[in-house]
Amino acid sequence: GENVEQHPSTLSVQEGDSAVIKCTYSDSASNYFPWYKQELGKRPQLIIDIRSNVGEKKDQRIAVTLNKTAKHFSLHITETQPEDSAVYFCAAWRSPLGFGNEKLTFGTGTRLTIIP
Amino acid sequence: GAVVSQHPSWVICKSGTSVKIECRSLDFQATTMFWYRQFPKQSLMLMATSNEGSKATYEQGVEKDKFLINHASLTLSTLTVTSAHPEDSSFYICSASAGQRIAGFDEQFFGPGTRLTVL
């Protein structure tokens, strides 16, 4: 099955600096890669996603890059703010048998702390 | 965006009792619902996938007789933890997808989670 690895597990960044979180996946059939932000005790919130036919996507201070050949994708947060502090999860989506058998596999998470 | 609710938000029970957790899609019909568990400071692990009107598909290692899933309607799925034990204490999160296949992916909308503590 799919295996998603995420690094680093913890990351502390000075406010205003950039943060980068990296993920690798194992299943070449995965074709959709969302990123979630989860605050303590709350539900994961989708913050950005990228599909396999795209190499990069940007939404204001957040960007995601995808290298399908190397099977890795990264989240970039620029001009970090205290409210960016949370746990971030990458995920990979695969549909091995067509519609009806899809599932998300999550990375292990990165606890991001923004230092004021 | 689509809203998914869970009830209860937290529950404390004695060992050996059963606990039912409800997951509802409030403003859309969910063709598929997913159940995850999350241990402290760990990732979300998929337990099972359920489609309305059919049996749930359980992930490897998840006991289907212990974690009973019922997806009775397009807006409700329930997870029952039977004969709960302290090791079942965890954060259980459901998600629901509306079946709108945009470029091959149905966005999953997550519930707020249920924190289960088994004494």
Side-chain angles (χ1 to χ4, degrees):
Chain A
E2 174 68 283
N3 181 46
V4 179
E5 295 189 357
Q6 184 171 345
H7 299 280
S9 56
T10 60
L11 179 61
S12 294
V13 173
Q14 205 72 35
E15 181 179 356
D17 289 349
S18 296
V20 180
I21 302 171
K22 298 181 178 181
C23 288
T24 61
Y25 62 99
S26 61
D27 190 342
S28 57
S30 292
N31 60 0
Y32 176 80
F33 307 92
W35 285 87
Y36 294 90
K37 175 183 180 182
Q38 186 181 31
E39 297 179 1
L40 187 63
K42 296 189 176 180
R43 75 187 84 196
Q45 301 263 4
L46 178 68
I47 57 171
I48 196 168
D49 55 25
I50 191 166
R51 305 184 192 281
S52 59
N53 59 347
V54 176
E56 183 174 357
K57 183 178 178 180
K58 188 174 181 180
D59 182 5
Q60 300 183 338
R61 296 187 297 109
I62 297 174
V64 58
T65 59
L66 171 65
N67 183 326
K68 279 205 70 179
T69 304
K71 290 192 232 166
H72 65 71
F73 55 114
S74 301
L75 176 71
H76 304 252
I77 306 175
T78 59
E79 301 173 22
T80 54
Q81 300 167 3
E83 53 265 35
D84 294 331
S85 295
V87 178
Y88 291 81
F89 291 99
C90 62
W93 166 270
R94 66 185 178 95
S95 178
L97 298 175
F99 294 155
N101 291 280
E102 306 88 343
K103 66 177 185 180
L104 274 174
T105 301
F106 283 83
T108 47
T110 297
R111 183 170 300 277
L112 175 63
T113 302
I114 306 302
I115 305 166
Chain B
V3 180
V4 176
S5 70
Q6 264 183 257
H7 178 79
S9 56
W10 60 270
V11 57
I12 301 173
C13 69
K14 293 182 178 180
S15 186
T17 60
S18 294
V19 175
K20 179 185 282 189
I21 302 170
E22 292 185 349
C23 177
R24 293 181 185 273
S25 56
L26 299 185
D27 53 2
F28 67 99
Q29 292 188 326
T31 54
T32 306
M33 287 187 170
F34 304 83
W35 285 96
Y36 298 86
R37 67 186 298 180
Q38 185 177 33
F39 291 109
K41 298 185 178 181
Q42 294 192 24
S43 188
L44 285 81
M45 300 300 296
L46 181 66
M47 299 174 66
T49 303
S50 73
N51 293 289
E52 185 263 341
S54 62
K55 291 184 179 180
T57 301
Y58 289 81
E59 293 300 299
Q60 192 173 8
V62 178
E63 298 176 60
K64 61 181 180 181
D65 294 331
K66 179 166 186 62
F67 299 100
L68 301 178
I69 292 172
N70 187 334
H71 193 158
S73 75
L74 284 172
T75 59
L76 173 65
S77 177
T78 60
L79 167 68
T80 301
V81 183
T82 62
S83 187
H85 292 284
E87 56 266 29
D88 298 324
S89 298
S90 186
F91 193 51
Y92 291 87
I93 305 177
C94 71
S95 70
S97 66
Q100 302 201 5
R101 302 190 177 277
I102 303 173
F105 174 72
D106 300 337
E107 182 175 351
Q108 291 186 28
F109 301 96
F110 286 86
T114 297
R115 185 161 303 283
L116 170 64
T117 303
V118 185
L119 302 176

